[in-house]
Amino acid sequence: MASERDCFKLSGPLHLTYIDWNNAHHRKSVAACLIKGVYVLENDRQARREGPKALALPWWAFFHFQLYMILVDDVDSSIFGAIYEFKPPPSMCNHALHRCPRYVIAFRGTIPKADSVSRDIELDIQFIRNGLHQTSRFEIASQAVRNMVAAVGGSNIWLAGHSLGSAIALLAGKTMAKTGIFIESFLFNPPYFSAPIERIKDNKLKHGLRFAGSVVTAGLAIAMKVKQQKSLSFDPFAALSAWVPSLFVNPSDPICSEYVGYFEHRRKMEEIGAGSIEKLATQNSIACLLMRGFGKECEPLHLIPSASLTVNLSKSRDFKDAHGIQQWWKPDLHLESKVHKY
């Protein structure tokens, strides 16, 4: 039942009785739980669970956070985000709070329920069309991020999101990074719209398809007179490279698995001396190039120069398990992490 999944006592990380903010697994788990809190806030709203019947509170209170603000979509009135304020008890030592945030801005993904699913799917489609930045939900999210940065500074904030919510957090983080403000970000199962090349088992075939794709993309970019980076006095893609968001992907999840190949292919292209081709291909998508050819502005929302990529290699039962937020706070995960710098 949905209430069982929403209940912290039944599905939350009760093993985390003490949070070490220097521990990457602990930080990841807390960020994931705060996102889960947004899901449960919306589920509480739809199920009309109020007061003692509401299930959302433990998802942040367990880690000494308070609900500072909720973010509501202007179209369907659903709760899609929340801002949490960290309020540690006086007994916590200052040295134990190193690397902890003062505020966390978290965004949920799609909820397949009648009161929210049509709006969520509409935004999923906007992401595929590279139009998420033009939606009112993103504008509400972006304004909330700007307001918090202005009030407390970017270094005191975390961004966190899952699925569609991670796309919103990624886009908000990119927007701030372009102004020189780099916000620590936790992006779980971030969508990467592409052919599912990562699912191919034959590594040679997989690399060959990616190589061909890079050549086509770079060639199309040049043909459509997209300026090459070395001829620019300012390269906006390279300017983002100092921002290193944390991406958490599962290779069994086709929604996010292409990020694995995106960064690995870039490394291989450098190794074979084709770095100049990949340098142009890595910041363009064929869909956006074609849209620009028709005079429409388009920026591939999912492409980023740098990231700390964590891959969950633990066996997943099904798509729901591979895409779910709950996997990221489980103990004893088989994780592989690597920092990719542009």
Side-chain angles (χ1 to χ4, degrees), residues 68 102-103 105 142-157 176 179 181 183:
Y68 181 77
R102 282 182 59 192
Y103 295 88
I105 309 174
S142 182
Q143 187 60 55
V145 173
R146 291 195 296 268
N147 289 346
M148 292 305 298
V149 168
V152 303
S155 62
N156 293 309
I157 299 170
M176 296 308 302
T179 68
I181 298 171
I183 303 177

mmCIF file of all heavy atoms in Angstrom, residues 68 102-103 105 142-157 176 179 181 183:
data_model
loop_
_atom_site.group_PDB
_atom_site.id
_atom_site.type_symbol
_atom_site.label_atom_id
_atom_site.label_comp_id
_atom_site.label_asym_id
_atom_site.label_seq_id
_atom_site.Cartn_x
_atom_site.Cartn_y
_atom_site.Cartn_z
ATOM 1 N N TYR A 68 10.499 24.535 6.055
ATOM 2 C CA TYR A 68 10.584 25.990 5.968
ATOM 3 C C TYR A 68 9.543 26.548 5.001
ATOM 4 O O TYR A 68 8.928 27.579 5.247
ATOM 5 C CB TYR A 68 12.001 26.372 5.518
ATOM 6 C CG TYR A 68 12.276 27.843 5.397
ATOM 7 C CD1 TYR A 68 12.507 28.622 6.525
ATOM 8 C CD2 TYR A 68 12.316 28.466 4.142
ATOM 9 C CE1 TYR A 68 12.765 29.980 6.414
ATOM 10 C CE2 TYR A 68 12.581 29.811 4.018
ATOM 11 C CZ TYR A 68 12.808 30.572 5.149
ATOM 12 O OH TYR A 68 13.065 31.916 5.029
ATOM 13 N N ARG A 102 22.560 24.459 5.601
ATOM 14 C CA ARG A 102 21.608 25.202 6.421
ATOM 15 C C ARG A 102 20.195 25.017 5.880
ATOM 16 O O ARG A 102 19.227 24.948 6.633
ATOM 17 C CB ARG A 102 21.960 26.693 6.443
ATOM 18 C CG ARG A 102 23.116 27.063 7.365
ATOM 19 C CD ARG A 102 23.377 28.563 7.359
ATOM 20 N NE ARG A 102 22.205 29.323 7.784
ATOM 21 C CZ ARG A 102 22.094 30.651 7.654
ATOM 22 N NH1 ARG A 102 23.072 31.335 7.087
ATOM 23 N NH2 ARG A 102 21.008 31.264 8.068
ATOM 24 N N TYR A 103 20.117 24.931 4.560
ATOM 25 C CA TYR A 103 18.827 24.736 3.909
ATOM 26 C C TYR A 103 18.979 23.724 2.781
ATOM 27 O O TYR A 103 20.035 23.645 2.143
ATOM 28 C CB TYR A 103 18.292 26.049 3.318
ATOM 29 C CG TYR A 103 17.966 27.099 4.360
ATOM 30 C CD1 TYR A 103 18.937 27.987 4.813
ATOM 31 C CD2 TYR A 103 16.680 27.194 4.901
ATOM 32 C CE1 TYR A 103 18.642 28.949 5.770
ATOM 33 C CE2 TYR A 103 16.376 28.149 5.859
ATOM 34 C CZ TYR A 103 17.363 29.022 6.286
ATOM 35 O OH TYR A 103 17.055 29.962 7.239
ATOM 36 N N ILE A 105 16.772 22.498 -0.687
ATOM 37 C CA ILE A 105 15.637 22.703 -1.582
ATOM 38 C C ILE A 105 15.476 21.413 -2.378
ATOM 39 O O ILE A 105 16.362 21.038 -3.146
ATOM 40 C CB ILE A 105 15.853 23.900 -2.517
ATOM 41 C CG1 ILE A 105 16.255 25.147 -1.712
ATOM 42 C CG2 ILE A 105 14.591 24.180 -3.335
ATOM 43 C CD1 ILE A 105 16.622 26.348 -2.557
ATOM 44 N N SER A 142 12.871 28.006 -9.710
ATOM 45 C CA SER A 142 14.046 28.856 -9.922
ATOM 46 C C SER A 142 13.986 30.107 -9.057
ATOM 47 O O SER A 142 15.004 30.535 -8.495
ATOM 48 C CB SER A 142 14.132 29.239 -11.404
ATOM 49 O OG SER A 142 15.275 30.019 -11.664
ATOM 50 N N GLN A 143 12.783 30.689 -8.936
ATOM 51 C CA GLN A 143 12.642 31.885 -8.099
ATOM 52 C C GLN A 143 12.917 31.557 -6.638
ATOM 53 O O GLN A 143 13.547 32.339 -5.912
ATOM 54 C CB GLN A 143 11.237 32.465 -8.249
ATOM 55 C CG GLN A 143 11.042 33.806 -7.545
ATOM 56 C CD GLN A 143 11.973 34.885 -8.073
ATOM 57 O OE1 GLN A 143 11.998 35.154 -9.272
ATOM 58 N NE2 GLN A 143 12.755 35.499 -7.199
ATOM 59 N N ALA A 144 12.478 30.370 -6.191
ATOM 60 C CA ALA A 144 12.738 29.957 -4.809
ATOM 61 C C ALA A 144 14.239 29.801 -4.571
ATOM 62 O O ALA A 144 14.760 30.212 -3.520
ATOM 63 C CB ALA A 144 12.012 28.640 -4.510
ATOM 64 N N VAL A 145 14.945 29.228 -5.536
ATOM 65 C CA VAL A 145 16.394 29.064 -5.410
ATOM 66 C C VAL A 145 17.077 30.430 -5.376
ATOM 67 O O VAL A 145 17.948 30.686 -4.532
ATOM 68 C CB VAL A 145 16.952 28.204 -6.565
ATOM 69 C CG1 VAL A 145 18.480 28.176 -6.520
ATOM 70 C CG2 VAL A 145 16.399 26.778 -6.483
ATOM 71 N N ARG A 146 16.677 31.308 -6.280
ATOM 72 C CA ARG A 146 17.282 32.657 -6.312
ATOM 73 C C ARG A 146 17.044 33.393 -4.995
ATOM 74 O O ARG A 146 17.945 34.065 -4.469
ATOM 75 C CB ARG A 146 16.727 33.459 -7.486
ATOM 76 C CG ARG A 146 17.165 32.966 -8.857
ATOM 77 C CD ARG A 146 16.884 34.010 -9.938
ATOM 78 N NE ARG A 146 15.464 34.275 -10.087
ATOM 79 C CZ ARG A 146 14.658 33.646 -10.933
ATOM 80 N NH1 ARG A 146 15.141 32.677 -11.710
ATOM 81 N NH2 ARG A 146 13.379 33.974 -11.022
ATOM 82 N N ASN A 147 15.840 33.271 -4.468
ATOM 83 C CA ASN A 147 15.523 33.964 -3.211
ATOM 84 C C ASN A 147 16.371 33.433 -2.061
ATOM 85 O O ASN A 147 16.870 34.216 -1.228
ATOM 86 C CB ASN A 147 14.041 33.795 -2.878
ATOM 87 C CG ASN A 147 13.132 34.579 -3.814
ATOM 88 O OD1 ASN A 147 13.591 35.453 -4.544
ATOM 89 N ND2 ASN A 147 11.850 34.250 -3.803
ATOM 90 N N MET A 148 16.536 32.119 -1.990
ATOM 91 C CA MET A 148 17.323 31.532 -0.913
ATOM 92 C C MET A 148 18.796 31.889 -1.055
ATOM 93 O O MET A 148 19.477 32.158 -0.054
ATOM 94 C CB MET A 148 17.141 30.010 -0.887
ATOM 95 C CG MET A 148 15.749 29.550 -0.471
ATOM 96 S SD MET A 148 15.206 30.199 1.133
ATOM 97 C CE MET A 148 16.437 29.478 2.221
ATOM 98 N N VAL A 149 19.308 31.896 -2.265
ATOM 99 C CA VAL A 149 20.712 32.285 -2.487
ATOM 100 C C VAL A 149 20.920 33.727 -2.059
ATOM 101 O O VAL A 149 21.920 34.066 -1.413
ATOM 102 C CB VAL A 149 21.102 32.084 -3.966
ATOM 103 C CG1 VAL A 149 22.433 32.754 -4.264
ATOM 104 C CG2 VAL A 149 21.175 30.597 -4.296
ATOM 105 N N ALA A 150 19.981 34.586 -2.400
ATOM 106 C CA ALA A 150 20.096 35.996 -2.019
ATOM 107 C C ALA A 150 20.040 36.164 -0.507
ATOM 108 O O ALA A 150 20.694 37.048 0.061
ATOM 109 C CB ALA A 150 18.983 36.805 -2.684
ATOM 110 N N ALA A 151 19.261 35.308 0.160
ATOM 111 C CA ALA A 151 19.074 35.442 1.609
ATOM 112 C C ALA A 151 20.208 34.839 2.420
ATOM 113 O O ALA A 151 20.645 35.435 3.427
ATOM 114 C CB ALA A 151 17.741 34.802 2.021
ATOM 115 N N VAL A 152 20.711 33.659 2.032
ATOM 116 C CA VAL A 152 21.678 32.950 2.877
ATOM 117 C C VAL A 152 22.972 32.574 2.156
ATOM 118 O O VAL A 152 23.902 32.094 2.792
ATOM 119 C CB VAL A 152 21.050 31.671 3.489
ATOM 120 C CG1 VAL A 152 19.810 32.017 4.296
ATOM 121 C CG2 VAL A 152 20.712 30.643 2.414
ATOM 122 N N GLY A 153 23.033 32.780 0.835
ATOM 123 C CA GLY A 153 24.250 32.435 0.089
ATOM 124 C C GLY A 153 24.218 31.012 -0.443
ATOM 125 O O GLY A 153 23.685 30.101 0.211
ATOM 126 N N GLY A 154 24.779 30.823 -1.621
ATOM 127 C CA GLY A 154 24.749 29.514 -2.262
ATOM 128 C C GLY A 154 25.491 28.432 -1.507
ATOM 129 O O GLY A 154 25.135 27.244 -1.601
ATOM 130 N N SER A 155 26.508 28.790 -0.734
ATOM 131 C CA SER A 155 27.302 27.783 -0.024
ATOM 132 C C SER A 155 26.550 27.162 1.146
ATOM 133 O O SER A 155 26.988 26.153 1.700
ATOM 134 C CB SER A 155 28.610 28.409 0.483
ATOM 135 O OG SER A 155 28.331 29.456 1.400
ATOM 136 N N ASN A 156 25.428 27.759 1.533
ATOM 137 C CA ASN A 156 24.638 27.245 2.659
ATOM 138 C C ASN A 156 23.440 26.413 2.217
ATOM 139 O O ASN A 156 22.591 26.056 3.034
ATOM 140 C CB ASN A 156 24.154 28.413 3.524
ATOM 141 C CG ASN A 156 25.295 29.121 4.229
ATOM 142 O OD1 ASN A 156 26.107 28.482 4.881
ATOM 143 N ND2 ASN A 156 25.367 30.430 4.090
ATOM 144 N N ILE A 157 23.369 26.111 0.919
ATOM 145 C CA ILE A 157 22.190 25.461 0.358
ATOM 146 C C ILE A 157 22.581 24.171 -0.355
ATOM 147 O O ILE A 157 23.646 24.090 -0.970
ATOM 148 C CB ILE A 157 21.486 26.406 -0.640
ATOM 149 C CG1 ILE A 157 21.014 27.687 0.065
ATOM 150 C CG2 ILE A 157 20.313 25.719 -1.333
ATOM 151 C CD1 ILE A 157 20.540 28.760 -0.886
ATOM 152 N N MET A 176 22.216 28.908 -11.850
ATOM 153 C CA MET A 176 23.000 29.622 -10.850
ATOM 154 C C MET A 176 24.489 29.532 -11.171
ATOM 155 O O MET A 176 25.242 30.497 -10.974
ATOM 156 C CB MET A 176 22.725 29.057 -9.454
ATOM 157 C CG MET A 176 21.295 29.227 -8.964
ATOM 158 S SD MET A 176 20.661 30.933 -9.062
ATOM 159 C CE MET A 176 21.858 31.806 -8.057
ATOM 160 N N THR A 179 26.069 32.113 -13.267
ATOM 161 C CA THR A 179 26.345 33.398 -12.616
ATOM 162 C C THR A 179 27.514 33.300 -11.642
ATOM 163 O O THR A 179 27.795 34.247 -10.902
ATOM 164 C CB THR A 179 25.096 33.893 -11.864
ATOM 165 O OG1 THR A 179 24.838 33.036 -10.738
ATOM 166 C CG2 THR A 179 23.885 33.911 -12.767
ATOM 167 N N ILE A 181 27.722 31.007 -9.126
ATOM 168 C CA ILE A 181 27.291 30.480 -7.831
ATOM 169 C C ILE A 181 27.102 28.974 -7.971
ATOM 170 O O ILE A 181 26.233 28.513 -8.715
ATOM 171 C CB ILE A 181 25.981 31.137 -7.366
ATOM 172 C CG1 ILE A 181 26.199 32.638 -7.172
ATOM 173 C CG2 ILE A 181 25.485 30.509 -6.069
ATOM 174 C CD1 ILE A 181 24.926 33.425 -6.919
ATOM 175 N N ILE A 183 26.114 25.545 -6.351
ATOM 176 C CA ILE A 183 25.351 24.973 -5.247
ATOM 177 C C ILE A 183 25.561 23.463 -5.210
ATOM 178 O O ILE A 183 25.468 22.794 -6.241
ATOM 179 C CB ILE A 183 23.848 25.290 -5.403
ATOM 180 C CG1 ILE A 183 23.635 26.806 -5.489
ATOM 181 C CG2 ILE A 183 23.050 24.700 -4.236
ATOM 182 C CD1 ILE A 183 22.178 27.201 -5.724
#
